Amino acid sequence: APYKLEVKMSSLPSKTQITEALKTASSALAEVETVKKELHRIEKSVATKGSLKAHHIGDPTSKLAMNKVAALPMDKIEKELETALKKIAPFKPEVLEHMKHPTFDIWAWSDNELLLLLQVMMESLGLVEAFSIDTTKLRRFLLAVKYAYNENPFHNFRHCFCVTQMMYAIIHVTGIHNRMAPMEKLSLI
């Protein structure tokens, strides 16, 4: 016997609602594609030029930040970081699990610990392996990011960590990280 399907017309979305949803989805997909293209362009540029400096030539703020980072005593800073790493590593499993949630308390950690937690995030997402990132270079990059931030009450390194950790938490809470390519994870983190 053939099945009879009964659908209440009031439970179906209207043509206008479907059209709006499609427009929104199309717009989001277009933005994702634009970001992917830009990331691939930057990736190619880094591979051929060896640095990101070419992307900031006209930006005096970026030049100042890069000069500030270039003037840092990296050996001394790396020793500080290594000392901090010895004191706190490995992080307890509860810390690593809690970091995957929006309720993670960033105020309980020193800046050096936050640097190492950033590294842990990248490692746990498989980014270090996927992009063959040398751990020492990753730490130097994270240090450069930290020291390039201006010291002010809000847009500072701690805020940088907070935003990064929140994105890390969101992709874990939603489970979307299991369906993302490494480049997509990297662009979000």
Side-chain angles (χ1 to χ4, degrees):
Y3 292 98
K4 187 175 181 182
L5 180 63
E6 290 184 32
V7 177
K8 291 181 180 178
M9 293 306 286
S10 63
S11 67
L12 295 175
S14 70
K15 185 177 179 179
T16 306
Q17 289 172 317
I18 292 171
T19 303
E20 287 302 313
L22 286 173
K23 283 181 186 175
T24 302
S26 294
S27 176
L29 284 173
E31 284 183 46
V32 167
E33 287 305 313
T34 302
V35 169
K36 279 183 176 180
K37 285 177 186 173
E38 180 63 11
L39 285 171
H40 289 295
R41 184 186 68 74
I42 291 171
E43 188 178 31
K44 273 186 185 176
S45 176
V46 170
T48 57
K49 295 178 184 159
S51 81
L52 289 173
K53 285 186 178 181
H55 297 289
H56 303 294
I57 288 173
D59 183 358
T61 311
S62 293
K63 280 185 177 179
L64 289 173
M66 291 174 82
N67 289 339
K68 181 179 171 184
V69 170
L72 292 172
M74 288 308 259
D75 291 342
K76 179 183 174 196
I77 293 166
E78 283 180 36
K79 284 179 186 172
E80 263 182 58
L81 197 56
E82 284 299 321
T83 303
L85 180 62
K86 287 175 186 168
K87 288 180 186 175
I88 60 177
F91 288 102
K92 294 179 181 176
E94 309 87 66
V95 171
L96 302 179
E97 186 56 36
H98 190 63
M99 199 166 52
K100 296 176 182 175
H101 299 277
T103 55
F104 184 76
D105 181 12
I106 66 158
W107 300 106
W109 306 94
S110 72
D111 282 358
N112 284 340
E113 291 168 326
L114 295 179
L115 281 167
L116 295 170
L117 287 169
L118 286 168
Q119 177 182 331
V120 167
M121 283 186 241
M122 294 190 72
E123 289 171 344
S124 75
L125 288 171
L127 301 175
V128 172
E129 185 179 341
F131 294 101
S132 302
I133 301 172
D134 177 72
T135 307
T136 303
K137 289 180 181 177
L138 174 60
R139 285 191 194 145
R140 282 184 176 190
F141 170 76
L142 294 172
L143 279 166
V145 168
K146 176 187 174 208
Y147 285 104
Y149 268 93
N150 291 323
E151 297 207 17
N152 66 56
F154 186 69
H155 283 118
N156 53 36
F157 173 70
R158 194 164 289 271
H159 178 258
C160 163
F161 177 87
C162 187
V163 171
T164 305
Q165 184 275 323
M166 186 56 68
M167 182 54 68
Y168 181 78
I170 288 169
I171 66 175
H172 276 87
V173 168
T174 61
I176 196 167
H177 67 289
N178 294 320
R179 294 179 280 167
M180 297 172 77
M183 183 61 79
E184 292 167 324
K185 292 177 192 176
L186 183 61
S187 67
L188 287 176
I189 293 298

